[in-house]
Amino acid sequence: MKEYNITVVKTKNPAILKFESNHMLVKRKNYEFKNIDEAKNSPLAQQLFYLPFIKTVYISGNFIGLERYDIVDWEDVKDEVAQQLVEYLNAGEPVVMEEDTDKPIAVTVYAEVTPNPATMKFVASKKIVGSMFEFKNIDEAKDSPLATQLFQFPFVKQVFIDDNYVSVTKYEVAEWEDITLELRELIRNFIANGNDVVTAQAEPIKGTQSNASSKQVTPENLDDTSLEIIDILEEYVKPAVASDGGNILFKSYEPDSRTVNVILQGACSGCPSSTFTLKNGIETMLKNMMGDRVNEVVALNG
C-alpha cells in the first residue's frame, strides 16, 4: 500500500496553498470544485469543504490546491490540513471518482536533446510522477512498469523519471535518429493508456541521499555550512539541471579541504560537459556565495 507524504508549497496567491503528494493523486484531468455540491464525485474535496475556511479545491496530478476565505491565515491551519490529508490518503480513501477509465488520456510527448549526447529527454504534456526515480538496469526497474518496458530495448542503458519527463540514456550501439521515434511513441502510448509509471513499492530518490551509501544525509547530522550548500543547490542549481533532464544531490562537505562532494544523476551522469558546468558554474557560484568556505566541488556520477 502506498505511503503518502504531503509537502506544503506556497503560491503567488497568498490565499492559495499547494499540498504536494509524493504519489500521483489523479491521472486523467484537472479538477476544480467551488462548493460541496460540485464535489459530489470527489470524496476528498467533500471532506475538505467541511472546513469552514475552504473556498475552492483544486486537484491535479500529485497536488491539492486549496483557496481559503479570509477568516483564517494559512500559517495557523496549514499543518493541521496537511496532517488531515496524510491521514485521509493513507487510509486508502478515494480522491476523485474518475470516469471513462477505458478512454485514452489526451497527452503529447516530445523529444528534447540534452547536454549529454548519450541522453534524450522525453517530455510529456502532463505530470507523470510525484517524485524522482532512477533505474540503471532492468532489475532496479522492477517497480516501474514504464522503465521495465524501456529496458526491453537492448540499447537502453539507464532511465531517469521526474515530474513530466523521462530521460533515457543509450549505449553507443544505436543512434538517436534511428530510435527516438520508437521510444517517444512507447512512452506516449504508455501514459495515454493510464498505466502507472511507477508502483507504490518504487523507491524515489531522496533529495539528500547518496546512492553510493546506505546512510542518509539528514539535516540532523549536518553542519551549518552543509545546510547552506544544500539550500543553494536546491534554489539555484537543481532547476537548471532538471531542465536538462538530470539531477544533482549533495553528498558531503569536507571542512579541512573545503571540498563539496555532489552526485550527478540522469542526463548529467557521464555527460562530457558536466565537468565544465561543475567548475565554471556550480563551483564558481558556491565560491561567490560562500567565500573561502568552499575551495572545490567534486562530482560523482550517480
Side-chain angles (χ1 to χ4, degrees):
M1 185 175 178
K2 294 181 180 179
E3 181 177 354
Y4 289 87
N5 297 313
I6 293 292
T7 301
V8 181
V9 180
K10 292 182 179 180
T11 70
K12 293 181 180 180
N13 186 338
I16 298 176
L17 275 189
K18 286 176 66 176
F19 295 81
E20 290 190 351
S21 166
N22 57 324
H23 296 292
M24 298 297 286
L25 302 175
V26 292
K27 296 179 180 180
R28 311 195 71 80
K29 57 183 289 188
N30 303 327
Y31 299 89
E32 178 180 345
F33 308 106
K34 293 186 177 298
N35 56 61
I36 198 168
D37 287 338
E38 289 186 3
K40 61 181 181 297
N41 291 329
S42 174
L44 173 57
Q46 285 190 325
Q47 178 166 314
L48 288 167
F49 276 117
Y50 281 104
L51 300 173
F53 54 83
I54 295 298
K55 181 179 181 180
T56 309
V57 176
Y58 309 90
I59 303 177
S60 177
N62 73 319
F63 75 85
I64 299 159
L66 298 179
E67 182 180 9
R68 61 168 174 81
Y69 286 106
D70 292 337
I71 59 171
V72 299
D73 290 327
W74 275 124
E75 285 300 317
D76 298 329
V77 297
K78 62 182 178 62
D79 292 338
E80 293 180 10
V81 173
Q83 183 60 34
Q84 180 176 327
L85 290 172
V86 167
E87 293 175 358
Y88 182 94
L89 294 170
N90 284 325
E93 299 296 334
V95 177
V96 177
M97 310 301 291
E98 297 190 283
E99 300 175 351
D100 298 325
T101 55
D102 294 331
K103 184 179 179 181
I105 299 171
V107 62
T108 58
V109 174
Y110 67 89
E112 181 179 288
V113 297
T114 74
N116 187 346
T119 302
M120 186 73 73
K121 182 178 177 182
F122 296 88
V123 185
S125 57
K126 67 184 296 294
K127 195 175 185 74
I128 58 174
V129 290
S131 299
M132 194 180 298
F133 301 87
E134 184 177 44
F135 309 101
K136 296 183 178 179
N137 55 59
I138 197 168
D139 286 339
E140 289 186 4
K142 66 183 186 300
D143 294 323
S144 172
L146 175 55
T148 298
Q149 284 198 24
L150 289 169
F151 277 115
Q152 301 300 316
F153 295 109
F155 49 77
V156 171
K157 181 179 181 180
Q158 185 172 320
V159 177
F160 182 87
I161 306 173
D162 184 25
D163 196 42
N164 68 325
Y165 70 86
V166 181
S167 287
V168 177
T169 302
K170 69 174 181 65
Y171 288 103
E172 294 181 0
V173 68
E175 299 296 332
W176 284 120
E177 60 188 29
D178 299 323
I179 63 177
T180 297
L181 180 61
E182 188 174 13
L183 290 173
R184 183 178 67 82
E185 284 303 296
L186 184 152
I187 294 170
R188 189 192 69 80
N189 290 335
F190 186 95
I191 298 170
N193 289 331
N195 298 309
D196 288 328
V197 173
V198 294
T199 68
Q201 290 72 40
E203 287 290 333
I205 294 172
K206 303 297 183 183
T208 54
Q209 185 174 9
S210 165
N211 286 347
S213 170
S214 60
K215 182 181 179 182
Q216 184 171 345
V217 181
T218 60
E220 289 76 14
N221 51 35
L222 290 178
D223 55 64
D224 291 341
T225 300
S226 296
L227 292 174
E228 189 174 344
I229 293 169
I230 290 174
D231 287 340
I232 293 172
L233 293 178
E234 290 286 334
E235 184 173 356
Y236 298 103
V237 181
K238 273 199 174 186
V241 171
S243 68
D244 287 333
N247 184 45
I248 184 170
L249 298 179
F250 172 81
K251 178 174 174 59
S252 63
Y253 172 68
E254 302 171 14
D256 293 339
S257 61
R258 295 172 293 153
T259 299
V260 179
N261 298 299
V262 298
I263 297 174
L264 300 178
Q265 297 174 311
C268 298
S269 179
C271 176
S273 64
S274 62
T275 301
F276 178 84
T277 302
L278 192 74
K279 294 298 180 183
N280 293 275
I282 301 170
E283 186 174 280
T284 299
M285 178 186 295
L286 287 174
K287 285 181 176 179
N288 289 338
M289 299 181 75
M290 303 191 66
D292 59 7
R293 285 179 291 170
V294 172
N295 180 56
E296 183 184 18
V297 177
V298 176
L300 302 172
N301 289 328

